[in-house]
Amino acid sequence: MNSAYILTGGNMGNSLENLSRAATAIAKNCGSIIAQSSIYRTAAWGNQEQPDFLNQVLLINTLLEPLVLLKKLLDIEHLMGRVRDKQNDPRTIDLDILCYNDLVLDSTVLTLPHPRLHLRRFVLVPLNEIAPDLEHPVLHKSIKQLLQQCPDTLNVKKFSW
C-alpha cells in the first residue's frame, strides 16, 4: 500500500461543495482517505485578481502507481469542469500530488515531491496540520521546518462557515 498526500483546492462555483465532491471521487477512484486537514481560505497565488481559494490536504492509501494516480486525478478534475487555459487562472477544482511515499520522481508529466511544495503556505499549512514530521525526501526537512522557513507571506486562515 502506498501513501499519497493530495492538495485539493478551488475558487470557482461552490468551492466547499467542490472540495467535498473531489474527496468523494478520490475515495471512490484512487484510494482510502486516511486523514484530511481542515479547510483553509487563501488568497490566490500568482494571479491575485481572482477570488480566494479554499484548500485542503488529503492523505490517501492507494494501490495506484504515481502516473496512474495522476491520470485518475486529472480525470476527476475534468469531470468536475476544470478547464486548463492559463496557469494560475480561477478553477473549479485543482488536485495535486504533493508526496507519494518518499519517492523522488522527475518525469515530463509528474515531479515528486511537488516542486513548489516548500514555497507555498497554502500547501504547507494544511499539510503541517496532518503531517508535521513528514520529511521532504529531497530537502531532508520536516514539513514543520519548511513551513517555518517558507518565504511566502500570503495569508492562510482556517475556513469558517
Side-chain angles (χ1 to χ4, degrees):
M1 190 65 65
N2 302 293
S3 296
Y5 291 88
I6 300 170
L7 177 70
T8 65
N11 69 342
M12 289 178 60
N14 184 334
S15 297
L16 193 58
E17 182 180 312
N18 289 342
L19 291 182
S20 177
R21 286 179 54 213
T24 298
I26 289 167
K28 180 179 178 184
N29 298 293
C30 302
S32 302
I33 297 174
I34 302 307
Q36 56 189 40
S37 74
S38 300
I39 295 171
Y40 291 85
R41 179 182 297 277
T42 308
W45 195 94
N47 174 7
Q48 296 178 350
E49 299 301 318
Q50 59 181 306
D52 288 350
F53 276 77
L54 292 184
N55 292 295
Q56 182 177 43
V57 171
L58 307 175
L59 168 59
I60 67 167
N61 277 347
T62 184
L63 295 173
L64 302 176
E65 293 299 316
L67 294 176
V68 176
L69 176 59
L70 176 63
K71 170 76 169 83
K72 296 269 189 187
L73 295 175
L74 293 173
D75 289 346
I76 292 168
E77 286 184 351
H78 179 74
L79 289 171
M80 290 184 65
R82 168 80 188 264
V83 177
R84 291 180 179 270
D85 286 333
K86 293 186 210 167
Q87 190 173 10
N88 299 325
D89 266 2
R91 58 206 78 145
T92 53
I93 196 71
D94 188 21
L95 305 174
D96 291 320
I97 305 171
L98 301 175
C99 297
Y100 182 98
N101 297 331
D102 58 356
L103 181 65
V104 176
L105 175 69
D106 191 8
S107 77
T108 56
V109 294
L110 181 61
T111 301
L112 292 172
H114 191 286
R116 292 171 297 284
L117 176 156
H118 63 291
L119 301 173
R120 296 180 173 171
R121 286 181 50 77
F122 71 88
V123 174
L124 290 170
V125 170
L127 184 55
N128 184 65
E129 180 184 329
I130 63 172
D133 298 324
L134 178 68
E135 183 176 304
H136 190 290
V138 174
L139 301 175
H140 303 291
K141 294 182 179 179
S142 70
I143 298 304
K144 182 178 180 178
Q145 289 171 312
L146 292 174
L147 178 57
Q148 292 168 344
Q149 299 168 359
C150 183
D152 181 7
T153 59
L154 282 182
N155 201 6
V156 179
K157 293 183 182 177
K158 275 192 183 178
F159 177 74
S160 59
W161 294 234

